[in-house]
Amino acid sequence: MEETYLLNVEGVKKKILHGGRGELPKLQDGSKFTFHFQTLKDNFERTVIDDSREAGMPMEIIVGKMFKLEIWETLLSSMRIGEVAEFWCDTIHTGMYALVSRGMRRITEGRDPLEGQKHRCGMGNMFDYHSTGYEDLDELQREPQPLIFIMELFRVEDPSAYKRDTWAMSKEEKLAAVPVLHSEGNRLVLRREFAQAAAKYQEAVICLRNLQAKEKPWEDGWLKLESLVTPLVLNYCQCQLELGEYYEVLEHTTELLQKHNDNAKAYFKRAKAHAAVWNEREAREDFQRVAHLDPSMAAAVKKELKQLGERMRKKHVEDRKRYQGLFQSSQG
């Protein structure tokens, strides 16, 4: 067994499992670590809590932009490229792990890591803090305990060598990124690369939602950001319509209309999604709202209603034939 090394930090022990190469990396504000990690309980079974390899993606953190678990920056700063090390960290360093893990798991699941924290009153956010949505993490929050982190450091990059991830950007960087992402999404739509375009629009929306979370809902700063969010969500929904993700469209347009119930384009996209999944009544109601809110779209609505009527008649004929066939076979 390798010798145990004590970092010059209270409540931390380090054990090198596999030596790295070269000197310790020279770090500066904005340097990015890329690494795999395992988090284990300090019990007899060494119960695994998280494993980035199982999640299928390495972890990245930015020096000087650290999220709630500050000790990780310290641990990684003690490692060489290619090194694998085990760190035992006392409870003074692990109290925020459950919240950090929740964010990482949500990212892996393709969800916004700030989900559930936006547009909530203080009591709501307090409740969200105490319930992570994951039973094992709730236990860690109730009973903080020492944890073991096994880390393998792949690379350390200077700030100029990589594209900044959305969560690591400053407010100014996020605002500057939004029009660029919007433009990239539009370019991809013209090439009919709808999945890639949707990802660009979604990234821009996340930038703006993260900024909105710091504003008071419905006040000037929040409304200004919301005016940027709305066209991006509509573009995202158009991509999802093209991809056949109709329930995704229903979800996002309904959420948008709860805040902006006079948006004709949102009703139009929701109506098309309803029509695609055979919700005839809901589709007709939404198309009628579009014609009422924006008379310039009346011709498009008339065309869509005609197509809907034809599709529904065809479906009714096919359903009748199917039921007749079933009835006849049961009689036989």
Side-chain angles (χ1 to χ4, degrees), residues 69 71 89-98 140 144-149:
L69 201 67
I71 192 62
C89 294
D90 206 349
T91 309
I92 57 171
H93 301 296
T94 63
M96 299 299 287
Y97 182 77
L140 283 181
Q145 56 194 269
L147 294 174
I148 296 166
F149 303 113

Side-chain angles (χ1 to χ4, degrees), residues 70-81:
E70 297 179 8
I71 192 62
W72 273 17
E73 186 176 312
T74 302
L75 306 183
L76 291 160
S77 299
S78 76
M79 299 178 69
R80 292 171 168 77
I81 306 299

Side-chain angles (χ1 to χ4, degrees), residues 53-66:
R53 282 190 173 81
E54 282 191 8
M57 57 189 292
M59 183 68 185
E60 298 175 347
I61 65 172
I62 311 296
V63 174
K65 296 279 184 182
M66 190 52 191

Side-chain angles (χ1 to χ4, degrees), residues 181-182 185-186 189 197-205 232 235-236 239:
L181 291 165
H182 198 157
N186 293 347
V189 165
K200 295 293 182 183
Y201 295 137
Q202 186 177 42
E203 187 177 350
V205 169
L232 288 162
N235 287 1
Y236 174 81
C239 291

Side-chain angles (χ1 to χ4, degrees), residues 17-246:
L17 305 179
H18 183 278
R21 58 185 181 274
E23 301 297 320
L24 287 174
K26 293 181 180 178
L27 304 174
Q28 55 182 302
D29 197 41
S31 294
K32 180 169 77 171
F33 294 109
T34 302
F35 61 100
H36 267 306
F37 75 94
Q38 260 193 334
T39 304
L40 304 91
K41 287 187 176 182
D42 184 22
N43 57 14
F44 180 77
E45 298 85 3
R46 287 167 65 94
T47 305
V48 176
I49 300 170
D50 289 306
D51 187 333
S52 61
R53 282 190 173 81
E54 282 191 8
M57 57 189 292
M59 183 68 185
E60 298 175 347
I61 65 172
I62 311 296
V63 174
K65 296 279 184 182
M66 190 52 191
F67 47 75
K68 300 176 180 71
L69 201 67
E70 297 179 8
I71 192 62
W72 273 17
E73 186 176 312
T74 302
L75 306 183
L76 291 160
S77 299
S78 76
M79 299 178 69
R80 292 171 168 77
I81 306 299
E83 180 178 323
V84 181
E86 177 177 311
F87 299 91
W88 177 90
C89 294
D90 206 349
T91 309
I92 57 171
H93 301 296
T94 63
M96 299 299 287
Y97 182 77
L99 294 182
V100 173
S101 176
R102 176 184 65 175
M104 292 187 293
R105 291 183 187 186
R106 286 180 171 174
I107 290 170
T108 302
E109 294 164 4
R111 297 159 62 190
D112 180 355
L114 295 180
E115 180 183 315
Q117 296 179 33
K118 299 185 286 291
H119 318 314
R120 300 279 295 279
C121 67
M123 187 61 70
N125 280 323
M126 186 183 300
F127 176 79
D128 192 61
Y129 178 91
H130 287 294
S131 179
T132 65
Y134 302 93
E135 190 175 337
D136 59 335
L137 300 182
D138 286 344
E139 180 194 341
L140 283 181
Q141 281 208 132
R142 287 191 301 268
E143 302 173 18
Q145 56 194 269
L147 294 174
I148 296 166
F149 303 113
I150 299 176
M151 295 178 161
E152 179 179 0
L153 181 60
F154 296 133
R155 58 183 175 272
V156 178
E157 298 168 272
D158 291 337
S160 60
Y162 65 90
K163 180 187 172 192
R164 298 291 288 277
D165 293 311
T166 300
W167 63 267
M169 294 178 181
S170 66
K171 177 180 178 179
E172 292 73 22
E173 288 170 331
K174 285 176 183 171
L175 286 172
V178 167
V180 175
L181 291 165
H182 198 157
S183 179
E184 288 177 356
N186 293 347
R187 179 177 56 81
L188 288 162
V189 165
L190 291 174
R191 290 164 52 179
R192 301 193 63 79
E193 296 178 16
F194 297 113
Q196 295 89 332
K200 295 293 182 183
Y201 295 137
Q202 186 177 42
E203 187 177 350
V205 169
I206 289 173
C207 280
L208 294 168
R209 292 296 192 211
N210 288 349
L211 293 173
Q212 267 191 320
K214 299 177 176 64
E215 301 285 345
K216 193 168 182 179
W218 302 105
E219 293 200 348
D220 287 346
W222 188 93
L223 288 169
K224 186 175 180 181
L225 293 166
E226 185 68 14
S227 70
L228 299 174
V229 167
T230 300
L232 288 162
V233 172
L234 291 171
N235 287 1
Y236 174 81
C237 288
Q238 183 59 42
C239 291
Q240 298 303 323
L241 280 174
E242 297 285 353
L243 293 166
E245 298 290 345
Y246 304 119

